[in-house]
Amino acid sequence: DAGVIQSPRHEVTEMGQEVTLRCKPISGHDYLFWYRQTMMRGLELLIYFNNNVPIDDSGMPEDRFSAKMPNASFSTLKIQPSEPRDSAVYFCASRLGNEQFFGPGTRLTVL
Amino acid sequence: AQKVTQAQTEISVVEKEDVTLDCVYETRDTTYYLFWYKQPPSGELVFLIRRNSFDEQNEISGRYSWNFQKSTSSFNFTITASQVVDSAVYFCALSEGNAGKSTFGDGTTLTVKP
């Protein structure tokens, strides 16, 4: 298996633009997580899914953020409109049992 | 409210030394999970361990070991015979319930010098 795949790896956009981050979890994993990492706030869990169903989105910072998981092999995190303070590394992770694996992250820069 | 404290911001050791990274947590739940993650300089996140609140057995995996003590709300991580490749930021995290909202510590930066 190729592991958790995230795209793009780097994204530079301008304030106000829509940004969509993509994640392909490891096949067979039943949990999917979206995290954000910044210098100011450290690592934060934004939202997680179990069997494609969003379970807890209390970490999503505001309504500009939305996440979907239309099927077991794909999830998106969308920011619209983006703001400079959204600049961060966004990690996707999937889990089965006690094993959790992270994607390489998407480094987002909002100018 | 849950909280994770990693009091050691930075630790520097010389190769082959043993090093312990401390993690103290706070939660009101009786069911919770504790995690350790490694973030090497390359930036990726590596999952190391997940332990539930009902399992206080210590865990050993190669040079890594974890000491979970509910009495002191601690989940410490020891690296035996450290190596340069162990240099990374290590995060401790807590989640309530099966997956739950996770709270991360601020991380401990470990530098292992040759």
Side-chain angles (χ1 to χ4, degrees):
Chain A
D1 201 317
V4 177
I5 299 172
Q6 289 187 248
S7 64
R9 292 294 306 276
H10 302 272
E11 177 81 27
V12 180
T13 190
E14 293 189 346
M15 183 174 63
Q17 297 297 306
E18 176 180 304
V19 175
T20 299
L21 311 182
R22 297 173 176 79
C23 175
K24 176 177 168 52
I26 293 174
S27 177
H29 282 198
D30 54 352
Y31 281 88
L32 183 138
F33 305 82
W34 282 100
Y35 299 86
R36 178 173 69 174
Q37 186 175 31
T38 62
M39 289 295 292
M40 290 294 292
R41 300 177 66 88
L43 267 167
E44 305 171 278
L45 174 65
L46 301 178
I47 185 172
Y48 74 94
F49 297 82
N50 178 215
N51 293 322
N52 315 339
V53 176
I55 303 300
D56 187 342
D57 65 353
S58 58
M60 297 285 260
E62 44 196 281
D63 293 345
R64 298 184 297 107
F65 286 69
S66 63
K68 293 182 180 179
M69 192 166 185
N71 57 61
S73 59
F74 184 64
S75 176
T76 59
L77 178 66
K78 184 179 294 185
I79 308 172
Q80 182 182 13
S82 58
E83 297 183 3
R85 60 192 167 123
D86 301 331
S87 298
V89 179
Y90 291 82
F91 290 99
C92 175
S94 67
R95 195 190 95 203
L96 179 66
N98 278 330
E99 292 284 334
Q100 183 175 0
F101 295 89
F102 286 83
T106 295
R107 182 172 294 277
L108 173 66
T109 303
V110 183
L111 303 174
Chain B
Q2 52 186 11
K3 183 179 178 182
V4 175
T5 302
Q6 295 180 256
Q8 305 148 308
T9 305
E10 295 182 9
I11 300 176
S12 181
V13 299
V14 176
E15 209 170 19
K16 297 184 183 178
E17 285 185 21
D18 297 348
V19 58
T20 295
L21 309 182
D22 297 332
C23 174
V24 175
Y25 62 92
E26 295 176 27
T27 179
R28 293 181 180 177
D29 276 18
T30 55
T31 302
Y32 52 89
Y33 288 81
L34 296 163
F35 304 78
W36 275 96
Y37 301 94
K38 174 182 179 180
Q39 188 169 41
S42 52
E44 74 266 29
L45 276 167
V46 179
F47 163 85
L48 297 178
I49 190 172
R50 173 177 180 251
R51 173 55 53 86
N52 75 57
S53 52
F54 298 107
D55 183 2
E56 284 194 74
Q57 275 196 332
N58 290 335
E59 176 102 7
I60 297 175
S61 176
R63 295 184 298 107
Y64 294 171
S65 62
W66 290 269
N67 185 295
F68 176 29
Q69 292 195 352
K70 288 177 78 170
S71 60
T72 55
S73 297
S74 65
F75 187 44
N76 296 338
F77 172 34
T78 297
I79 301 175
T80 302
S82 60
Q83 300 176 1
V84 173
V85 294
D86 296 328
S87 297
V89 181
Y90 290 86
F91 294 95
C92 180
L94 163 72
S95 72
E96 294 167 346
N98 187 25
K101 180 169 174 56
S102 292
T103 300
F104 286 82
D106 291 335
T108 296
T109 299
L110 173 65
T111 301
V112 181
K113 299 178 180 178

